[in-house]
Every structure is written in structure tokens, then in C-alpha cells.
Amino acid sequence: MTTTGRHRGRIALVTGGSRGIGRAISRRLAAQGALVAVHYGHDHAAAERTVKEIEADGGRAFAVHAELGVVGDAATLWTAFDRELAARDAPPGLDILVNNAGITLPRTIEQVTEDDYDRVFAVNTKAPFFITQQALVRLRDGGRIVNVSSGATRIAYPAIVAYSMTKAALDHLTLSLAQHLGPRGITVNTVAPGFTETEINPTLRDPQIRQALAGASVFNRLGAPADIADVVAFLAGDDARWITGQCIDATGGVHLGL
């Protein structure tokens, strides 16, 4: 990737930034000049690999570990973030927060247990809520918050009902925060991916499933992580200064018609 100056001098945090869509977002923001904190929950090797890829491309990044969905996860993340910034003599604070981390739950309502429900909400909804809450004292005026949701919030998809509910809650967080933080010049937006090809989606190894999901898009292909990363990078930049409280559909036109 060629480094550009769109985000030069800015500090970004991408949750779930070591793999899949998060990895693409981390790399894109770093390629545009940001110092990127690549958060990971479990896969240290993936985080280090993403940091090395960014550095090889001429960017700057560091890994931050915090398991999400457990008590104190937000505090753990921000303590690690502050410590890593200080270790690099970087100025304290934050310019861009991307709430990307999440887990799925491919079960219908009949199959979802209370433990399942609590877990998916803890990671997908509670964690970004409190991560954002604790980010506000660090986030500079004029900063950016981008929440990664899902196209499933506008489509009836019973097979992932609890997951879709977590993302719908995140969509409302975007709306309320945009109103709340507007006086500080902070924009808050959502990006909603559709069927996206990542290494952590095992169902895509089945040719029939791949074909069916690709066919749901008007472009007759699966999304690539870079398709989502480009939208996030735009919303995180100055060109999107007049956009806030919006959900940007980045599904490739999934299920636009009958």
C-alpha cells in the first residue's frame, strides 16, 4: 500500500484489528499516515503479523491486547493503549476509534441459550459501549468514531437473530452518540458490511455457499475486506466532516430487490 497523508499525525485504535475486515482497516488507516493500535483478543500471532505488514508498507502500528466480553475489558484495553503510546513517546489521546471487533452466533431463536445470548451481547454491544465511554476523555475534538455493524440489521435473517440484534443496538449507539458529541466536532457513523470474504469464515469454503452469497449482491461477488476498509477510512477523514449519525450500507447492494 502507498502511504498517503490523509491521516498523518493521527492516532487510531481498531478493535479486532488483527484479522479479516479489522486487519484491512488497520492497514488502510496506517497506509494513510495514522499510528494504529491493532487490538486483538486471543490471536497474538495475527496481531504481530498485521503490525509487521503495516511496518513493511512504511506505516506505524502496535498491538494491544484485551479480551472482550469480560468484566473490565474496556479498562484493560485503554490501560494497554495508554501504556503503549507512552512507550513510543507518542502524544496521549486518540483521533479515530473503530469499533470493529465482534463474534457471530449462527443459531435460530429456538437454539439460542441464555449463555449464548449473554456472550454475543457482551462482545458485540456491551464492549463497544464501554470502550467508547472510556474513549471520550481521550478522543480529541474533531475526532472520529466508526462502528462496524452488519447489513443483517435491515434484512430478516432468522438464522443469526441474536447477532443481528447486537448490531441493531450498535446502530442506535451511533445515532445517539452523533447527537451527543456533535458540539465537540466529533462525527459518529456506522458501516454495515454484507457477505465478506475473510479467512475466518469457514462457510465460504463451500462452493455452493460462496455462489449463493455472491449472488445476493448486485455485483454478483463477495465483498473484500478492502471494500469495507476504504469506506471506514473515508468516514475517518476530513472529507467526511459533514456526515454523522449515518449508517453506510457497504453490502454491495445485497437484497436490494426481490
Side-chain angles (χ1 to χ4, degrees):
M1 296 182 183
T2 301
T3 300
T4 66
R6 175 180 285 178
H7 298 302
R8 189 175 306 282
R10 293 174 176 164
I11 298 173
L13 169 68
V14 181
T15 67
S18 66
R19 298 191 298 169
I21 291 172
R23 171 176 169 268
I25 294 170
S26 296
R27 295 190 67 189
R28 179 67 72 227
L29 292 176
Q32 295 178 346
L35 170 60
V36 179
V38 178
H39 161 263
Y40 70 100
H42 300 283
D43 196 338
H44 174 75
E48 288 299 320
R49 184 165 58 249
T50 299
V51 168
K52 285 183 171 57
E53 289 171 347
I54 288 171
E55 292 174 342
D57 290 333
R60 299 176 301 148
F62 57 90
V64 176
H65 174 254
E67 181 182 355
L68 302 187
V70 299
V71 175
D73 51 4
T76 298
L77 187 155
W78 288 118
T79 297
F81 174 85
D82 293 340
R83 182 178 62 246
E84 292 295 334
L85 279 187
R88 287 162 175 76
D89 293 324
L94 181 73
D95 300 288
I96 301 165
L97 171 62
V98 182
N99 286 308
N100 165 77
I103 59 174
T104 188
L105 185 62
R107 297 178 188 174
T108 64
I109 189 170
E110 294 88 352
Q111 300 167 321
V112 175
T113 67
E114 288 192 32
D115 286 345
D116 291 334
Y117 184 95
D118 289 344
R119 174 64 177 162
V120 73
F121 268 86
V123 175
N124 293 4
T125 306
K126 183 179 178 181
F129 182 96
F130 286 102
I131 288 169
T132 303
Q133 180 196 69
Q134 295 180 34
L136 296 184
V137 297
R138 297 168 171 85
L139 192 62
R140 284 180 266 274
D141 290 355
R144 301 286 185 263
I145 299 174
V146 182
N147 295 318
V148 178
S149 178
S150 170
T153 62
R154 68 168 172 81
I155 301 166
Y157 205 165
I160 54 171
V161 57
Y163 167 83
S164 300
M165 290 170 63
T166 67
K167 294 299 188 177
L170 198 62
D171 291 350
H172 185 81
L173 178 63
T174 289
L175 193 63
S176 291
L177 284 176
Q179 176 78 15
H180 185 60
L181 299 176
R184 292 181 55 191
I186 296 170
T187 69
V188 188
N189 291 288
T190 291
V191 174
F195 302 117
T196 308
E197 185 158 23
T198 68
E199 69 273 15
I200 57 177
N201 190 346
T203 63
L204 297 180
R205 297 171 190 157
D206 185 319
Q208 290 185 321
I209 292 177
R210 287 178 61 88
Q211 183 177 2
L213 296 183
S217 164
V218 299
F219 301 118
N220 196 34
R221 71 169 176 87
L222 295 171
D227 295 327
I228 314 305
D230 285 347
V231 179
V232 172
F234 164 71
L235 290 173
D238 289 339
D239 289 347
R241 62 191 174 277
W242 204 234
I243 300 173
T244 196
Q246 302 305 303
C247 178
I248 308 301
D249 186 295
T251 65
V254 165
H255 296 316
L256 281 183
L258 297 177

